[in-house]
């Protein structure tokens, strides 16, 4: 992953969309100067054909922005960091706690933010979220999208850091700790059953973590991802520090 910005490759939006599709990243059009999709049924729409791409981005077509569909269809999720809402500080806190992000495809946004691209393990479904990881941190995954080069907002362009269109092999697997955070359910609310203020008290920890593990296994996570999730959840909500892992 590099923040160095060189000029992105030339070519028409149609050529860029076709290249992205060849590389496994499914394009879609959005309205000019906007993130608003223009396709009906977008979350369930199949991969576009060459004719569809020409109708969206070809000569004589409207000057649509270019997006990439996230989730299962492209096999990716995107971490959107918005420094205008302290997203850079939120990410720094996560990295200090859990470890650095791997080298991966990075897109720089017109607002001064960053889009980090990560591959999703097969069989794992991640939803979209806004601010769940922290202020200024959004996730785009199943049924979602992100804009990319050469899209513009108010005349300012998205750019891939490094100056090249991404390839699937350039996108790193999503780090286990990030998957664990995205798969973890919200802390339980107090209902007089041994939980106090969303914290599992001693004696309820094992039962709570067992239910979490069962839930994550049902969502398709493997053993390493589940263990990472349990460690995160144990540190976050358990009153006792005797984790036992």
């Amino acid at each position: 992953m590099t923040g160095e910005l060189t000029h992105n490759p030339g070519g028409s939006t149609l050529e860029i969309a076709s290249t992205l599709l060849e590389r496994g990243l499914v394009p879609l059009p959005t309205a000019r100067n906007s993130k608003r999709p223009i396709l009906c049924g977008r979350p369930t729409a199949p991969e576009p054909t060459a004719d569809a791409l020409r109708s969206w981005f070809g000569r004589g077509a409207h000057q649509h922005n270019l997006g990439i569909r996230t989730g299962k269809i492209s096999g990716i999720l995107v971490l959107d960091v918005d420094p205008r809402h302290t997203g850079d500080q939120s990410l720094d806190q996560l990295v200090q706690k859990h470890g650095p992000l791997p080298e991966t495809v990075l897109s720089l946004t017109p607002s001064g933010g960053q889009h980090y691209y990560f591959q999703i393990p097969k069989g794992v479904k991640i939803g979209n979220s806004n601010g769940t990881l922290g202020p200024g941190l959004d996730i785009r995954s199943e049924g979602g999208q992100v804009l990319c080069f050469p899209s513009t907002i108010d005349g300012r362009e998205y750019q891939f850091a490094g100056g090249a269109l991404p390839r699937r092999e350039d996108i790193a697997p999503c780090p286990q700790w990030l998957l664990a955070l995205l798969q973890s359910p919200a802390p339980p609310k107090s209902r007089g059953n041994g939980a106090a203020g969303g914290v599992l008290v001693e004696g309820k920890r094992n039962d709570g973590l067992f239910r979490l593990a069962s839930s994550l296994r049902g969502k398709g996570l493997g053993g390493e991802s589940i263990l990472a999730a349990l460690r995160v959840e144990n540190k976050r909500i358990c009153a006792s520090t005797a984790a036992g892992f």
Side-chain angles (χ1 to χ4, degrees):
M1 172 172 45
T2 174
E4 180 183 355
L5 178 62
T6 60
H7 186 67
N8 274 220
S12 68
T13 303
L14 174 59
E15 291 170 332
I16 292 169
S18 300
T19 298
L20 291 174
L21 184 59
E22 291 172 358
R23 297 178 177 185
L25 300 173
V26 179
L28 84 167
T30 72
R32 182 179 182 180
N33 193 45
S34 171
K35 301 176 183 179
R36 179 174 59 84
I38 63 173
L39 297 181
C40 295
R42 171 177 52 88
T44 57
E47 289 189 9
T49 63
D51 287 340
L53 291 182
R54 282 192 292 270
S55 71
W56 297 340
F57 305 113
R59 185 183 300 273
H62 295 289
Q63 295 182 14
H64 294 139
N65 270 345
L66 172 61
I68 293 176
R69 292 174 62 183
T70 52
K72 180 180 178 180
I73 192 164
S74 292
I76 62 170
L77 65 81
V78 173
L79 171 63
D80 180 2
V81 182
D82 186 353
R84 297 173 301 176
H85 298 94
T86 68
D88 49 349
Q89 298 175 33
S90 297
L91 181 59
D92 285 344
Q93 292 173 3
L94 288 177
V95 166
Q96 289 175 14
K97 184 175 182 179
H98 300 289
L101 296 175
E103 295 282 332
T104 195
V105 170
L106 176 65
S107 176
L108 307 179
T109 72
S111 64
Q114 303 89 35
H115 287 168
Y116 293 87
Y117 286 61
F118 296 110
Q119 292 189 36
I120 305 172
K122 289 185 178 180
V124 174
K125 183 176 180 180
I126 302 293
N128 300 299
S129 63
N130 297 320
T132 300
L133 292 172
L137 296 180
D138 298 339
I139 292 292
R140 291 295 171 260
S141 187
E142 195 61 33
Q145 61 158 54
V146 290
L147 292 187
C148 70
F149 174 82
S151 299
T152 59
I153 298 291
D154 296 331
R156 293 174 293 177
E157 196 172 59
Y158 287 78
Q159 292 279 352
F160 285 111
L165 296 181
R167 300 171 298 177
R168 277 299 302 275
E169 55 264 36
D170 299 327
I171 301 175
C174 186
Q176 293 292 335
W177 64 262
L178 181 54
L179 276 179
L181 290 175
L182 295 175
Q183 291 281 340
S184 294
K189 297 180 180 178
S190 176
R191 295 181 179 175
N193 61 351
V199 178
L200 294 179
V201 299
E202 188 67 22
K204 296 292 184 178
R205 182 180 70 246
N206 290 344
D207 179 64
L209 294 178
F210 175 78
R211 285 186 281 107
L212 171 60
S214 299
S215 172
L216 297 181
R217 185 171 294 279
K219 293 177 181 178
L221 260 70
E224 291 186 3
S225 296
I226 292 174
L227 182 57
L230 295 181
R231 285 172 172 155
V232 170
E233 194 73 358
N234 188 69
K235 180 182 293 186
R236 183 166 67 93
I237 68 174
C238 289
S240 172
T241 59
F245 296 113

